[in-house]
Amino acid sequence: MSTAVPAKHSDAASLVSNTIGEITRHIRAHELGPGDRLPSEAALSRQLSVSRTVVREAFSSLAAMRLIDLRVGRRATVAELDYGAMSLVIEHGVHTEQITVQQIYDVRRTIETRTAMLAALRRTADEVERIRTHALAMRENFQRPEQVMEHDLAFHLEIAKAAKNPVFSLIVGAFERVSRQTWPIGWRSRPSDAKQLEMIQIHIDLAEAIETGDPQSARDLMARHFDESVKALLAAGIA
Amino acid sequence: MSTAVPAKHSDAASLVSNTIGEITRHIRAHELGPGDRLPSEAALSRQLSVSRTVVREAFSSLAAMRLIDLRVGRRATVAELDYGAMSLVIEHGVHTEQITVQQIYDVRRTIETRTAMLAALRRTADEVERIRTHALAMRENFQRPEQVMEHDLAFHLEIAKAAKNPVFSLIVGAFERVSRQTWPIGWRSRPSDAKQLEMIQIHIDLAEAIETGDPQSARDLMARHFDESVKALLAAGIA
DNA sequence: TCTAGAAAACCTGCCATACAGGTTTGCCCT
DNA sequence: AGGGCAAACCTGTATGGCAGGTTTTCTAGA
């Protein structure tokens, strides 16, 4: 490489994006799965005739999308599915005013009425337990909004997981960062303790419907939950 | 910076991820929108007391997620919403066998029955025109699968756009890379010209339902389309 | 012969510097 | 006032270097 000619070869795009392509191709070609190790930066640098700088930026980009994991001293490894990147994309869309909160609620309603239904059909005993625990913890801690929010988020994520389709988990997770920022608004927009407890009660009922294995009821409760939430948000002026 | 002490300050995480946070914070704080320019690498480097290398890797990561656009000589700019990163995440999930094609079809069915419905309610004349054009082009070129596929993908994306919710577009787009790779399988699994034309006919009918403004019918046609597609895939052994 | 521990080899995170092109800015001349 | 050109600025890529982590290998002792 030090001796290599200026190269000129290959596709137009930048060296970094080519390198990203090469790395993903490597993963595919060798059928690597989560946890499997990739070549070292130096090795790739030699192999692809680019500087380590370029390889590093490629790795860095892949890590940003959570396709690989990087840790100092260790080789890069293939990552498990992770919604971190998607969550950042959605957050960015909201902050740059390309997406409204209401639009997110519409999508969530569409997705989560389905996950609620599927969860009622496919849940395991463990999952039911976790789902119910989160719902009850919401009521328990209802004086501490922060706690309620965490359990609320975990509740929805757990239902998605119980639906046994990782793509649903990915999407529900994608809204996490934004939800964390808009949740307090919705909470404050419920004018009384009674209204807040009412909202929490829907979660508890939903957990029960999933436990019972009643998909229709689970579906309806989830739909009602979102309808109520949107109403609350609109009342708070987040149109 | 050359004179700066080893720093030790700040959060645990890596310098790069801190820098990513700083940049997104900058975007938010200054309420930057698509097209607005960010500080130069050198400026950020000074401002945050890290080397240009770190800033570059941060920029590179943000560009990988398509939150910003990079072009040589120019300053980085805030990017428009783009499903490229999400599409890579999904593709990665499929290649590493963490997601199955059938699971994707289930999600698409959930999402796209909704977009079809909304499109029928909210479409503009222009959108109807584009949607119909793609459907008809599928029939026109049905001897050239490559062409059919392109119009098929564009058809679904255009419907999502007509639903007037960018999050739906994002999600439908997220499946594009994977679809491009699995589409031929579905196509070949239809055993005859007649079967293939039948599939295309659903698209044409769907375009019509959207034009007419019949949400229920649009919904049902989209549902049927996915049911048929899954059937075809299963027949081809992609269980 | 087997094992535990230490040394060597390897690897990533970060930095400084350098230079080849693109792009912007601003000034000067008309 | 307007147009064109040079200077200033900016990004893409490369090289070399060093501070820690991590893995592998070798050796000495049981």
Side-chain angles (χ1 to χ4, degrees):
Chain A
M1 356 144 10
S2 31
T3 72
V5 293
K8 191 79 345 135
H9 58 67
S10 78
D11 332 47
S14 77
L15 290 189
V16 172
S17 48
N18 284 345
T19 303
I20 290 176
E22 290 297 331
I23 296 168
T24 58
R25 179 154 31 260
H26 176 96
I27 292 174
R28 214 173 319 165
H30 294 252
E31 296 187 2
L32 300 185
D36 291 344
R37 299 197 310 175
L38 274 67
S40 73
E41 296 178 354
L44 278 170
S45 165
R46 277 192 304 276
Q47 199 175 312
L48 306 177
S49 303
V50 294
S51 71
R52 185 158 84 96
T53 309
V54 169
V55 175
R56 276 192 63 72
E57 281 188 19
F59 269 4
S60 194
S61 295
L62 289 168
M65 291 187 287
R66 314 290 177 93
L67 304 193
I68 65 175
D69 287 323
L70 298 179
R71 277 159 68 188
V72 0
R74 300 187 172 179
R75 303 261 280 273
T77 57
V78 176
E80 275 182 24
L81 223 41
D82 182 304
Y83 52 77
M86 289 173 57
S87 207
L88 277 173
V89 172
I90 300 286
E91 187 187 16
H92 177 257
V94 172
H95 283 141
T96 56
E97 295 179 8
Q98 303 183 74
I99 299 175
T100 68
V101 174
Q102 214 186 334
Q103 285 169 333
I104 286 178
Y105 270 77
D106 189 30
V107 174
R108 283 191 61 189
R109 187 187 196 278
T110 306
I111 291 286
E112 300 203 34
T113 47
R114 177 76 178 157
T115 56
M117 190 171 206
L118 290 175
L121 292 169
R122 305 179 178 165
R123 80 278 180 264
T124 66
D126 278 7
E127 285 158 356
V128 164
E129 195 47 40
R130 281 196 291 276
I131 291 171
R132 197 187 26 207
T133 302
H134 286 304
L136 293 178
M138 285 174 74
R139 185 166 59 189
E140 216 97 323
N141 298 289
F142 104 105
Q143 299 285 10
R144 272 162 294 176
E146 189 121 333
Q147 294 287 311
V148 181
M149 177 175 88
E150 289 306 325
H151 286 293
D152 191 0
L153 292 173
F155 174 86
H156 287 274
L157 220 41
E158 196 65 51
I159 288 177
K161 221 187 279 175
K164 304 284 186 303
N165 183 334
V167 187
F168 282 122
S169 300
L170 227 44
I171 297 177
V172 172
F175 298 122
E176 186 177 313
R177 292 183 69 96
V178 160
S179 296
R180 231 173 253 285
Q181 293 166 49
T182 60
W183 193 93
I185 300 170
W187 180 254
R188 281 194 303 271
S189 75
R190 329 242 172 193
S192 63
D193 282 13
K195 281 285 176 195
Q196 290 170 349
L197 279 170
E198 208 172 278
M199 179 273 254
I200 291 176
Q201 187 60 42
I202 294 186
H203 287 77
I204 296 173
D205 294 345
L206 186 43
E208 198 165 318
I210 289 172
E211 179 168 17
T212 314
D214 182 345
Q216 199 54 52
S217 172
R219 210 203 106 85
D220 292 345
L221 282 164
M222 188 62 94
R224 209 173 96 221
H225 170 39
F226 277 103
D227 292 341
E228 298 285 335
S229 295
V230 169
K231 218 182 293 174
L233 277 181
L234 288 177
I238 310 294
Chain B
M1 342 138 9
S2 31
T3 72
V5 294
K8 192 77 347 133
H9 59 66
S10 76
D11 331 49
S14 76
L15 290 190
V16 173
S17 46
N18 283 347
T19 303
I20 290 177
E22 289 298 331
I23 296 168
T24 58
R25 180 155 29 259
H26 177 97
I27 293 175
R28 214 172 320 165
H30 295 251
E31 297 187 3
L32 301 185
D36 291 346
R37 299 197 313 175
L38 274 66
S40 73
E41 296 178 353
L44 278 169
S45 165
R46 275 192 305 275
Q47 198 175 315
L48 306 176
S49 303
V50 295
S51 71
R52 186 158 82 96
T53 307
V54 169
V55 175
R56 277 193 62 72
E57 282 186 19
F59 269 3
S60 194
S61 295
L62 289 168
M65 291 186 286
R66 315 289 177 95
L67 303 193
I68 64 175
D69 287 323
L70 298 179
R71 277 157 68 188
V72 357
R74 299 186 173 179
R75 302 261 281 273
T77 57
V78 175
E80 274 183 23
L81 224 40
D82 182 304
Y83 52 77
M86 290 173 55
S87 207
L88 277 173
V89 172
I90 299 286
E91 186 186 18
H92 178 257
V94 172
H95 283 143
T96 56
E97 296 179 8
Q98 304 183 73
I99 299 175
T100 69
V101 174
Q102 213 185 333
Q103 286 169 332
I104 286 178
Y105 269 78
D106 189 31
V107 175
R108 285 192 60 190
R109 187 187 194 281
T110 305
I111 291 286
E112 299 203 34
T113 48
R114 177 78 177 153
T115 56
M117 192 169 205
L118 290 175
L121 293 169
R122 305 178 178 167
R123 79 277 178 265
T124 66
D126 278 7
E127 285 158 356
V128 164
E129 194 48 39
R130 281 197 292 276
I131 291 171
R132 195 183 32 204
T133 302
H134 286 305
L136 293 177
M138 285 174 73
R139 184 166 60 189
E140 216 97 320
N141 299 288
F142 105 105
Q143 299 286 9
R144 272 163 295 178
E146 188 121 336
Q147 294 287 313
V148 181
M149 177 175 86
E150 288 306 327
H151 286 293
D152 191 359
L153 293 173
F155 175 87
H156 287 274
L157 220 41
E158 196 65 51
I159 288 177
K161 221 186 280 175
K164 303 286 185 302
N165 183 334
V167 187
F168 282 122
S169 301
L170 227 43
I171 297 178
V172 172
F175 298 122
E176 186 177 313
R177 292 183 68 97
V178 159
S179 295
R180 233 173 252 286
Q181 293 165 48
T182 58
W183 193 93
I185 300 169
W187 181 254
R188 282 195 302 272
S189 75
R190 329 245 171 189
S192 63
D193 283 12
K195 282 284 176 197
Q196 290 169 349
L197 280 171
E198 209 171 277
M199 180 273 255
I200 291 175
Q201 187 60 43
I202 294 185
H203 287 76
I204 297 173
D205 294 345
L206 186 43
E208 200 166 318
I210 289 171
E211 179 168 15
T212 313
D214 182 346
Q216 199 53 54
S217 171
R219 212 204 104 87
D220 293 345
L221 282 164
M222 187 62 94
R224 209 172 97 222
H225 170 38
F226 276 104
D227 292 341
E228 298 284 335
S229 294
V230 168
K231 219 183 292 175
L233 277 180
L234 287 177
I238 309 295

